[in-house]
Amino acid sequence: MALLNFRREAETPTNGTLTAFLDGFSMEVMPRTAEKVEDFRALLPAGTRVYVAHIEGTPIEEMVATAKRLREEGFEPMPHFPARIIRDALQLRDWVARYKGEAGVKQALLLGGGVKTPVGDLDNAMQLVETGAFAGFERLHFAGHPEGNRDIDSDGTDKIVMQALKLKQKFADTTDADTAIVTQFAFEGGPIIDWVNRLAAEGIKMPVHIGIAGPAKLQTLLKFAISCGVGPSLKVLQKRAKDVTKLLTPFEPTELLMELAKHKAKHPDFGIEAVHFFPLGGIKTNATWIAEKTKG
């Protein structure tokens, strides 16, 4: 029996706007964080897409077991495939076969990955696509960076990243799979809105699943934001850190999400299609927060 109530009734206009924006949200887990959850059915709506992040060094057996568990509990597992930790097309096909055979996986996030030196022949998401290993998948997502990615564009621009997204759009135009861009998290609405609008102007039509850091202690968010290369919006956290009265209060993404939700409500064609949560303060904490924000 679920612990959380996901009924959506008797909402105020503000809550209704946020509820609509959060409909169809996804969440990210790792095998070690998933182990701490006794039963995902007590936390998330049935059918929720759950990304399984593949950190370098995590055995494929643990990844597949996590995806299998999520499938058995009624969720849609979407494992990461980081190109730079995969030796070659042969190993990639083996991983895909395991996921499909043991966990019924039919969705995947394809990305280069945060490793600087590839372990083998593969270096980026399009090389993964070109192997043909994902033929027949229902949904393929690619990584996006609203504030750029200095590991790729060391000069601080987004020239290379934008060129890569245009190549992925060409693939999206020809594949039968549903495609989307899922992004790194950021903390400021204006730059996110500008970036999504720029994608449209550049001819990149794939919908955006915007990355949002779930509620967490400020120190935790700062640590992850720095390690993940969050850009200028980091100043939102740094400003809050100067107020000692807020240091022990969990930082919540309510204000950011409301800004994006209101913009989407005013501009229905705006490119954000869904919200993807990084539960940096814990899966249960994030799920509880969502339930509270979307209840009647």
Side-chain angles (χ1 to χ4, degrees), residues 50-261:
V50 182
Y51 292 63
V52 186
H54 197 153
I55 307 302
E56 184 183 18
T58 304
I60 186 61
E61 292 78 11
E62 292 183 14
M63 293 290 299
V64 173
T66 302
K68 181 180 179 182
R69 175 200 169 180
L70 289 165
R71 171 68 67 200
E72 290 173 346
E73 292 184 7
F75 302 97
E76 191 62 54
M78 178 180 265
H80 290 199
F81 286 86
R84 296 181 198 123
I85 71 169
I86 302 171
R87 287 195 309 272
D88 50 31
L90 184 64
Q91 185 179 56
L92 173 62
R93 292 192 184 96
D94 174 61
W95 286 13
V96 169
R98 292 192 195 192
Y99 278 122
K100 291 172 68 175
E102 298 180 40
V105 165
K106 50 194 175 183
Q107 304 188 9
L109 170 62
L110 312 184
L111 68 166
V115 179
K116 290 186 177 180
T117 304
V119 300
D121 302 332
L122 301 170
D123 181 63
N124 59 65
M126 285 309 299
Q127 288 177 342
L128 296 177
V129 168
E130 290 162 1
T131 66
F134 297 96
F137 268 56
E138 293 181 359
R139 177 172 283 275
L140 296 172
H141 287 185
F142 301 102
H145 302 85
E147 298 186 294
N149 185 334
R150 284 193 171 271
D151 288 340
I152 299 174
D153 286 291
S154 58
D155 61 358
T157 69
D158 63 359
K159 182 179 179 181
I160 297 174
V161 167
M162 196 61 68
Q163 288 174 342
L165 284 175
K166 289 180 179 179
L167 288 176
K168 292 162 187 171
Q169 181 62 55
K170 288 182 179 180
F171 166 73
D173 291 339
T174 60
T175 182
D176 291 331
D178 291 327
T179 59
I181 299 168
V182 61
T183 78
Q184 178 60 276
F185 56 89
F187 299 98
E188 202 170 13
I192 290 173
I193 292 169
D194 291 344
W195 180 76
V196 173
N197 286 336
R198 181 169 170 230
L199 292 183
E202 294 281 352
I204 298 167
K205 300 173 291 184
M206 285 183 288
V208 172
H209 292 206
I210 193 68
I212 297 291
K217 293 179 180 178
L218 187 59
Q219 296 93 323
T220 300
L221 288 180
L222 283 166
K223 179 184 72 173
F224 278 105
I226 292 170
S227 66
C228 293
V230 170
S233 71
L234 183 62
K235 67 179 181 287
V236 173
L237 299 184
Q238 293 169 330
K239 181 179 179 181
R240 184 182 177 94
K242 294 178 181 179
D243 186 344
V244 294
T245 65
K246 296 180 179 179
L247 285 177
L248 299 180
T249 305
F251 183 89
E252 299 181 354
T254 310
E255 185 176 340
L256 170 59
L257 283 168
M258 277 305 309
E259 182 178 355
L260 297 175

